[in-house]
Amino acid sequence: MRPMSKIVQAMACLLYPSIIVFGAYLIVHGHLTPGGGFQGGAVAASAIALMIVAYGSKKYNKTRLSALESTGLVMFISLGLLGLGVAFFHNFLANTGGIFGELVEYGTNLGNLNTAGTIPLMNIAVGLEVVGALGLMMVILAKGPEKGGRV
Amino acid sequence: MRRSIGLVALAVIIIFLALAAVNMHEFGVPDNSEMDDYFIYSCQKETGANNVVTAIVFDYRGYDTLGEATVLFAAVSGVLVSLRVARDRKAKGGGDQ
């Protein structure tokens, strides 16, 4: 895609950081407020879409986004495997008192970030994976078929 | 003929939708709520997460989320593979594939 006018580029630059921050907020607070890895990742990937529309797709390369996606997926599966002492995807950090392991009182409470065991970590992993996957898909589709690739 | 078949199908769909709407249970009072009650009452105790939906998605049903992540990965792989052009299809005449 070709880059758009200076006005669009300036507005995209203004909006880009706030979209990224809102996506990161949705991912990190996934165990307390509505949202989570998938939703926050989709929001953050929309910032990449905005930049592709404004500046064209030449500036993005696939390597970094691909690495982000693979990192998220490997982190997610290894977090599932770490709980294998009891069961696959066992929440081995919850209610232990350590990292992400503080107790929660039943009912309405003010939300504590340091709770919920592996759920926040898995949210972050899935968020990275979704940002990488959706961003990569948009970059590839915007660039079109590539010359010199292997089949 | 075709038109009448379409009308009959439409009538059947409307009848079934109307039956479903008439027989619908009251909002907020499901027939079987054992599972919901279990999640609502023990989610915060067991997982420590305030958000019950996230607790179910990432803890009780982790396999499901793993499948979703795999679907996304497969979609990206499909896009990557299908949007590639052979290096020298023209040079070889494209006959060797």
Side-chain angles (χ1 to χ4, degrees):
Chain A
M1 287 176 80
R2 274 178 309 170
M4 288 181 80
S5 68
K6 282 263 191 283
I7 302 169
V8 178
Q9 290 183 357
M11 281 315 289
C13 273
L14 268 176
L15 286 173
Y16 183 73
S18 48
I19 296 175
I20 290 281
V21 166
F22 183 61
Y25 157 74
L26 280 184
I27 293 171
V28 173
H29 285 234
H31 57 297
L32 299 175
T33 54
F38 284 102
Q39 294 87 341
V43 168
S46 73
I48 297 179
L50 184 68
M51 287 320 246
I52 288 174
V53 167
Y55 282 92
S57 55
K58 275 189 181 167
K59 293 198 173 182
Y60 276 97
N61 63 338
K62 294 185 294 196
T63 328
R64 228 177 284 167
L65 287 169
S66 181
L68 208 64
E69 190 200 356
S70 309
T71 311
L73 208 54
V74 166
M75 191 175 153
F76 184 67
I77 294 175
S78 47
L79 274 171
L81 284 174
L82 276 177
L84 209 55
V86 181
F88 195 39
F89 282 111
H90 176 249
N91 199 337
F92 60 96
L93 282 173
N95 301 331
T96 52
I99 185 168
F100 289 125
E102 283 184 20
L103 288 171
V104 177
E105 53 183 303
Y106 174 73
T108 314
N109 54 18
L110 293 169
N112 185 354
L113 259 186
N114 196 17
T115 55
T118 54
I119 293 176
L121 298 172
M122 283 183 174
N123 264 325
I124 292 169
V126 168
L128 288 180
E129 202 247 334
V130 172
V131 170
L134 292 183
L136 192 59
M137 238 188 277
M138 284 182 295
V139 169
I140 295 166
L141 289 175
K143 278 188 174 177
E146 206 171 75
K147 292 270 156 54
R150 279 171 291 141
V151 172
Chain B
M1 184 63 196
R2 228 183 192 179
R3 202 184 166 91
S4 58
I5 289 176
L7 282 176
V8 168
L10 186 67
V12 168
I13 290 171
I14 287 176
I15 287 170
F16 273 104
L17 284 179
L19 279 178
V22 168
N23 292 330
M24 201 186 286
H25 59 73
E26 214 175 318
F27 183 73
V29 194
D31 293 333
N32 304 310
S33 63
E34 292 86 5
M35 206 70 191
D36 317 352
D37 291 338
Y38 175 79
F39 281 135
I40 290 167
Y41 288 120
S42 58
C43 156
Q44 281 178 310
K45 234 181 298 165
E46 286 182 356
T47 68
N50 277 354
N51 188 349
V52 183
V53 176
T54 309
I56 290 172
V57 166
F58 285 98
D59 195 312
Y60 293 107
R61 306 223 167 123
Y63 277 111
D64 188 53
T65 312
L66 183 62
E68 282 180 55
T70 313
V71 165
L72 210 57
F73 190 78
V76 172
S77 309
V79 170
L80 255 175
V81 168
S82 58
L83 280 186
R84 269 193 176 174
V85 179
R87 182 179 290 163
D88 38 11
R89 190 180 280 166
K90 263 183 192 168
K92 287 180 183 171
D96 59 341
Q97 284 185 359

